[in-house]
Amino acid sequence: MHELKVTEDILRIANEEGEACQAKRVTDIYLTIGKLSSVVDDSVQFYWDYISQGTICEGAILHFNRPPALLRCRQCGEIITLKDELAPCSECHSFDLEVISGDEMQVDQIEIEKD
Amino acid sequence: MAERVEIVRKILDSNDRLAINNQKRLDNHQIFGVNMMASPGAGKTSFILETIKRLPADVKLGVIEGDTAPVTIDSDKIIQAGMPAVQINTGGDCHLDAVMVEMALDQLPLEALDLVIIENVGNLICPAAFKLGTHANVLIASIPEGDDKPYKYTNIYRNLDVLIINKTDLLPYIDFRLGYFKAGVEALNPGLITFPVSCKTGEGIEAWINWLNTKLGERKA
Ligand SMILES: Nc1nc2c(ncn2[C@@H]2O[C@H](COP(=O)(O)OP(=O)(O)OP(=O)(O)O)[C@@H](O)[C@H]2O)c(=O)[nH]1
Ligand SMILES: [Mg+2]
Ligand SMILES: [Zn+2]
């Protein structure tokens, strides 16, 4: 899908934050990308290797945390993990479920070197 | 010396922030904004043209047409039907984003408009991830696409306000299990407002116009 845009944004954030702490180099970047955001890790990595060149993030290792989506049953309140896309509530078998997490995309932490 | 720095910043947050700006801009002009999504050829442009034919005479519509290629086929049709339209060429991108919509809004006579419909790029995956600043997400599914699409493109169905099922005139010729389709939709988006229509015969479109009129009335109240 639009991994290039996602990767460009990761680079922008990591460069900004790295520069703000006077980093010489950003060595590691920790990402949380929920399973519901249809982003493919390998494509992000592919773009990353190109677009990070010549920045303080060049060569930084991307760490992907891909938490599963959580659904809350509107009937009984049970919270279930989304496995099969269309499985009903494991408690009461209702399909009246709302997504409560799984589409988050964020940069959590960076690891930097100052000298 | 390595050092771990806590950040927690959202990716693509700038798109969300721009989308909020777009919505404020529409709100300032009391305009109702619709993000119309569908796969290629589902009938987005046909449906907008049918909508134009049936809108009350005092409702002024502006259309933003998104395509990946530098063509003006769709926007020309809208202009021919008597409404202002802006064509966006995404340069190969698979979706519209809030920046593109912001630039398109600059080219529409917002003071004169009540309704803006954005025809997104034909795609069932990427448009779902980019907010534009509209008030309603509308998907046009169509009978020839098959009845299993809600099961395969779950994300887009989860985030809809209205579902249009187009090309119902083709139901006699295509093996489309309406019950199976609707069960999938119901599991993803319980109680979703749904209008089965045919742009060829005009059947069902009046119900959509009524829904739209209610929304437009709420804006002006
Ligand atoms: N039989 C039938 N054909 C339809 C109907 N609605 C649209 N079509 C036909 O479907 C084809 C595609 O319609 P468009 O309105 O161009 O579809 P679109 O979604 O705007 O297509 P793109 O912008 O290219 O993604 C055209 O040949 C239309 O005449 C319908 O209700 N019934
Ligand atoms: Mg079209
Ligand atoms: Zn339950």
Side-chain angles (χ1 to χ4, degrees), chain B residues 50-114:
Chain B
E50 290 306 307
T51 301
I52 291 174
K53 281 189 206 159
R54 290 171 178 80
L55 276 178
D58 61 328
V59 175
K60 292 286 171 282
L61 164 69
V63 177
I64 297 173
E65 286 290 345
D67 272 296
T68 60
V71 291
T72 56
I73 299 170
D74 285 357
S75 54
D76 288 347
K77 287 181 187 164
I78 306 294
I79 291 167
Q80 236 173 21
M83 295 291 176
V86 179
Q87 184 81 43
I88 305 177
N89 162 24
T90 68
D93 255 356
C94 43
H95 59 274
L96 293 180
D97 64 27
V99 184
M100 301 175 196
V101 168
E102 182 185 27
M103 292 192 297
L105 288 176
D106 290 342
Q107 299 174 54
L108 282 174
L110 297 182
E111 322 70 46
L113 300 182
D114 308 290

Side-chain angles (χ1 to χ4, degrees), chain A residues 10-11 14-15 25-31 44-45 48-49 52-53 55-64 110-112:
Chain A
I10 295 169
L11 180 64
N15 276 334
R25 225 163 79 75
V26 177
T27 57
D28 295 82
I29 298 173
Y30 294 84
L31 306 163
V44 173
Q45 186 69 56
W48 178 258
D49 296 342
S52 64
Q53 284 173 22
T55 76
I56 56 169
C57 288
E58 180 168 346
I61 299 165
L62 300 178
H63 302 265
F64 293 92
I110 55 173
E111 230 161 82
I112 59 168

Side-chain angles (χ1 to χ4, degrees), chain B:
Chain B
M1 253 296 285
E3 197 181 310
R4 180 83 74 103
V5 188
E6 203 59 41
I7 334 188
V8 190
R9 275 178 62 180
K10 281 176 76 180
I11 298 165
L12 297 184
D13 196 31
S14 47
N15 186 76
D16 286 4
R17 273 184 280 123
L18 273 176
I20 291 170
N21 275 352
N22 288 344
Q23 186 158 91
K24 278 191 193 137
R25 220 165 142 192
L26 294 174
D27 287 341
N28 286 341
H29 290 97
Q30 294 183 305
I31 293 173
F32 186 66
V34 173
N35 177 15
M36 200 158 271
M37 298 172 285
S39 41
K44 297 176 290 297
T45 308
S46 308
F47 187 67
I48 296 170
L49 291 170
E50 290 306 307
T51 301
I52 291 174
K53 281 189 206 159
R54 290 171 178 80
L55 276 178
D58 61 328
V59 175
K60 292 286 171 282
L61 164 69
V63 177
I64 297 173
E65 286 290 345
D67 272 296
T68 60
V71 291
T72 56
I73 299 170
D74 285 357
S75 54
D76 288 347
K77 287 181 187 164
I78 306 294
I79 291 167
Q80 236 173 21
M83 295 291 176
V86 179
Q87 184 81 43
I88 305 177
N89 162 24
T90 68
D93 255 356
C94 43
H95 59 274
L96 293 180
D97 64 27
V99 184
M100 301 175 196
V101 168
E102 182 185 27
M103 292 192 297
L105 288 176
D106 290 342
Q107 299 174 54
L108 282 174
L110 297 182
E111 322 70 46
L113 300 182
D114 308 290
L115 173 64
V116 166
I117 298 181
I118 302 173
E119 176 175 339
N120 216 314
V121 177
N123 183 321
L124 294 179
I125 304 169
C126 305
F130 290 83
K131 292 190 186 112
L132 304 180
T134 49
H135 302 92
N137 283 333
V138 176
L139 176 73
I140 304 186
S142 67
I143 301 300
E145 290 166 47
D147 52 20
D148 57 1
K149 293 304 164 285
Y151 300 87
K152 293 182 178 171
Y153 300 92
T154 51
N155 244 4
I156 200 160
Y157 278 89
R158 279 207 180 90
N159 295 308
L160 289 185
D161 300 296
V162 173
L163 172 65
I164 310 290
I165 307 174
N166 187 30
K167 311 195 186 182
T168 52
D169 57 289
L170 297 178
L171 271 171
Y173 313 104
I174 289 169
D175 296 327
F176 187 100
R177 295 159 296 174
L178 209 49
Y180 177 66
F181 176 84
K182 284 188 167 168
V185 175
E186 186 60 20
L188 293 166
N189 196 329
L192 178 63
I193 299 169
T194 303
F195 301 112
V197 306
S198 165
C199 291
K200 194 172 172 82
T201 66
E203 199 182 338
I205 292 173
E206 212 54 52
W208 150 257
I209 299 288
N210 289 340
W211 180 86
L212 210 46
N213 273 330
T214 309
K215 289 292 163 188
L216 289 167
E218 286 168 8
R219 306 292 298 164
K220 302 285 166 190

Side-chain angles (χ1 to χ4, degrees), chain A residues 15-114:
Chain A
N15 276 334
E16 273 176 26
E17 296 288 335
E19 276 159 20
C21 0
Q22 278 99 45
K24 269 244 170 71
R25 225 163 79 75
V26 177
T27 57
D28 295 82
I29 298 173
Y30 294 84
L31 306 163
T32 293
I33 298 179
K35 284 250 172 71
L36 273 187
S37 7
S38 32
V39 167
V40 181
D41 298 5
D42 283 350
S43 318
V44 173
Q45 186 69 56
F46 174 83
Y47 287 124
W48 178 258
D49 296 342
Y50 276 99
I51 69 170
S52 64
Q53 284 173 22
T55 76
I56 56 169
C57 288
E58 180 168 346
I61 299 165
L62 300 178
H63 302 265
F64 293 92
N65 168 32
R66 301 295 309 253
L70 296 178
L71 305 175
R72 184 194 290 120
C73 175
R74 288 202 188 90
Q75 298 305 318
C76 74
E78 182 73 9
I79 291 177
I80 59 170
T81 305
L82 186 77
K83 292 186 210 87
D84 183 352
E85 286 282 20
L86 286 180
C89 170
S90 53
E91 280 298 303
C92 73
H93 307 293
S94 163
F95 269 112
D96 195 0
L97 307 166
E98 63 179 326
V99 177
I100 54 173
S101 73
D103 58 1
E104 55 278 83
M105 288 204 288
Q106 63 191 41
V107 182
D108 295 322
Q109 294 161 334
I110 55 173
E111 230 161 82
I112 59 168
E113 284 174 1
K114 286 195 170 165

